[in-house]
Amino acid sequence: MSPKKFRTIIGALAVFMVALVTGVAVGKLYVDSIPTNVVMNMTEAELRDSDADVLKLVKKSKSSKPDSFSAIELYQIAEYNFNQKDAFYKTSDGKAYNALGAQTLHSTKTYRDGEFVWDNISPGLADIKTRVRYTVGSDYVYRHTNGKPENGKLVCDWNSKGAESYTIKEYEKKFNAGPLSSITYVISSKTCPKDAVTKVSKTSDGNYTFKIKLSGTYLTAAAVHYSYEIFYTSWGQLSGEARSKTILPAWEKMEMTVVVDENFDFVSISYDEDYKVYTFAGWQGVNDVFTERFYFGADVPALEEVL
């Protein structure tokens, strides 16, 4: 055995042992050396770059242009800016394809005046009609899974059997994310190897774009909380075993195309992702193709328009 190969094996074993004992990934690009089941149990914070590193990038962005950063750096700056917004509106539209046909994907996330409303209205083989509502500072998150779509909005009877309430800790434990988590994937230098991203390029309309392609354990890591969203929105199709054991989607590949404007704000993110869910008929492949669009300032609708 060559010395190089021996060092690689020993390094992978060391990372595995540290991750297994502490749950923390070591170094920048070791996610692929850690077993998938360990990655699935890691926290979002463990898969992100440090707050200090991100703040350095944000500070640099004040006197730089978007294409002076790498794709991962630009994504992190835009995500930081998104999380600082007093108000935002995000739409998501597309299709989910499986062996039985296609399902429409449509959801909106609205945040303003301290109120967050997430509506998921996706008709098809399994109609999804879910609303999550949270008031910042409140101890409870409310979720309704049996609303009625009317004029493109959900009408929910919060006294009906479709209503659920959770403390913040209960919600975070069940859905592996806080109620305000609104960015789909965890993108960092730990979840994205260098060969998974393209260079940032400027478009004819003055925006900036790049692509990220992930697969294997890296993708499982990036989907650390998105997996739970898919798990619960696929609830009606899942097997009893999948429900009782929380068998999350098995990820295969994902490609995203990100557009950021000159102010380092997200404009849109388009996705093409493949995964499998454990249904009554066994593992079934799903292909989701959808686009998220971001709106800020005067483009954020009033709450009365959403509710």
Side-chain angles (χ1 to χ4, degrees), residues 6-265:
F6 179 78
R7 287 195 300 270
T8 299
I9 293 173
I10 293 300
L13 286 173
V15 172
F16 167 70
M17 292 306 296
V18 171
L20 192 61
V21 173
T22 68
V24 178
V26 177
K28 291 283 188 180
L29 297 173
Y30 281 133
V31 169
D32 62 337
S33 299
I34 301 174
T36 299
N37 64 317
V38 175
V39 170
M40 290 171 69
N41 289 318
M42 292 173 69
T43 67
E44 181 177 341
E46 291 164 354
L47 293 166
R48 288 191 176 279
D49 294 305
S50 71
D51 291 343
D53 286 344
V54 174
L55 285 172
K56 287 179 183 178
L57 296 174
V58 173
K59 183 178 181 180
K60 181 181 176 182
S61 73
K62 304 302 181 184
S63 57
S64 306
K65 293 185 179 297
D67 54 1
S68 63
F69 295 90
S70 71
I72 303 305
E73 292 173 338
L74 181 53
Y75 190 101
Q76 292 182 348
I77 296 168
E79 182 174 14
Y80 176 89
N81 290 341
F82 176 84
N83 288 329
Q84 304 309 305
K85 301 293 184 184
D86 293 328
F88 66 77
Y89 181 61
K90 189 180 86 165
T91 64
S92 180
D93 289 281
K95 293 282 188 181
Y97 302 92
N98 59 33
L100 299 177
Q103 170 127 5
T104 297
L105 300 177
H106 172 69
S107 70
T108 61
K109 293 185 177 182
T110 309
Y111 175 63
R112 65 176 301 158
D113 304 326
E115 295 281 342
F116 175 75
V117 181
W118 173 16
D119 283 348
N120 191 345
I121 314 173
S122 298
L125 299 169
D127 287 342
I128 300 169
K129 298 167 290 185
T130 303
R131 166 172 286 177
V132 174
R133 187 169 184 181
Y134 173 64
T135 301
V136 175
S138 169
D139 294 329
Y140 287 90
V141 183
Y142 299 94
R143 183 173 182 263
H144 201 295
T145 58
N146 197 27
K148 294 182 179 179
E150 291 184 8
N151 300 320
K153 299 189 298 182
L154 275 180
V155 178
C156 297
D157 177 6
W158 294 99
N159 294 315
S160 74
K161 65 180 181 180
E164 306 167 4
S165 65
Y166 303 88
T167 65
I168 297 296
K169 288 185 177 180
E170 289 171 341
Y171 188 91
E172 290 176 342
K173 182 178 180 180
K174 181 170 183 176
F175 299 101
N176 205 35
L180 293 176
S181 297
S182 295
I183 298 297
T184 302
Y185 286 96
V186 174
I187 298 300
S188 72
S189 64
K190 296 177 182 178
T191 63
C192 297
K194 291 181 180 179
D195 60 0
V197 298
T198 65
K199 290 184 178 180
V200 177
S201 60
K202 190 173 184 179
T203 61
S204 58
D205 57 4
N207 291 324
Y208 298 81
T209 187
F210 56 89
K211 293 180 183 291
I212 300 175
K213 296 181 180 181
L214 296 177
S215 59
T217 309
Y218 281 110
L219 180 52
T220 299
V224 65
H225 57 72
Y226 181 43
S227 292
Y228 286 79
E229 179 182 326
I230 292 176
F231 176 80
Y232 284 104
T233 55
S234 304
W235 187 260
Q237 305 171 50
L238 298 179
S239 69
E241 182 181 6
R243 295 179 183 182
S244 63
K245 295 182 179 180
T246 314
I247 300 177
L248 298 173
W251 290 93
E252 297 183 336
K253 60 182 180 178
M254 180 276 292
E255 177 178 330
M256 66 166 71
T257 301
V258 184
V259 179
V260 175
D261 67 17
E262 62 182 1
N263 297 315
F264 293 85
D265 284 326

